[in-house]
Amino acid sequence: MTYPPPRYHGITGEKSALHRPADTPPEFVYPNNGTKVHYLATGAATGGLFGLYRWECGPGVTGPDPHFHRTISESFYILSGVMNIYNGEKWIEAEPGDWVHVPIGGIHGFKNRSGAPVSMLLHFSPGAPREGYFEGLAHLDEMSDEERTEFYLKHDNIWLD
């Protein structure tokens, strides 16, 4: 493994760090269950390198069934609560401080089945426009079967039968 080619060619560095205060409101809240999604670093903001999102789930069951992605890896870091994560073989209980990485093509899913709130970080690499996927999920019931299939394919979500 080597370092990638330089993307910055200056000699003095830049003053370009971003700061997002902890009390910044979430960019999206699911109307059906109140899950809050904070867009910490979108793929667009990182030049396609990665996407980082904080999910704050309420006590109700929420999260996707097993699926995989053909273009992106996904990682989960649990901040608080207990999240059930499917690791391709079985559902595991991920607790605060646990990290789960799913390589491209890896089968995974997550569900809050704890009955208590859960907060976690989701990391995608490379960065992809996941915001459109997250927000589109709130409108699945308005889509035809064909539109829903197209939506999932557009956002690289391949569901297991």
Side-chain angles (χ1 to χ4, degrees):
M1 183 84 184
T2 62
Y3 282 94
R7 294 178 53 156
Y8 174 76
H9 299 283
I11 58 172
T12 61
E14 293 182 349
K15 298 175 184 172
S16 55
L18 300 176
H19 173 242
R20 180 185 169 98
D23 62 355
T24 301
E27 279 72 19
F28 186 69
V29 178
Y30 282 95
N32 61 335
N33 62 22
T35 295
K36 299 172 186 172
V37 185
H38 299 261
Y39 298 172
L40 303 178
T42 65
T46 66
L49 294 175
F50 69 93
L52 183 64
Y53 306 87
R54 185 172 79 233
W55 281 64
E56 296 176 331
C57 305
V61 176
T62 184
D65 291 326
H67 62 283
F68 65 93
H69 309 291
R70 291 186 170 123
T71 63
I72 53 177
S73 67
E74 187 170 355
S75 296
F76 305 86
Y77 183 81
I78 309 305
L79 299 168
S80 65
V82 177
M83 181 65 76
N84 285 82
I85 297 180
Y86 189 70
N87 69 2
E89 296 179 330
K90 63 182 180 178
W91 289 94
I92 60 174
E93 288 188 349
E95 300 177 346
D98 286 355
W99 176 71
V100 178
H101 175 70
V102 183
I104 295 171
I107 298 169
H108 63 287
F110 65 89
K111 299 269 184 201
N112 179 12
R113 295 182 176 136
S114 68
V118 177
S119 179
M120 66 179 176
L121 296 176
L122 268 73
H123 177 271
F124 296 93
S125 180
R130 296 307 279 173
E131 308 80 38
Y133 177 71
F134 300 151
E135 294 171 18
L137 289 173
H139 302 285
L140 288 177
D141 59 345
E142 302 164 19
M143 297 179 196
S144 68
D145 289 344
E146 184 177 284
E147 290 170 327
R148 201 173 301 112
T149 298
E150 185 177 311
F151 171 77
Y152 288 133
L153 288 174
K154 174 183 176 183
H155 292 286
D156 188 25
N157 253 59
I158 314 302
W159 298 102
L160 301 182
D161 291 329

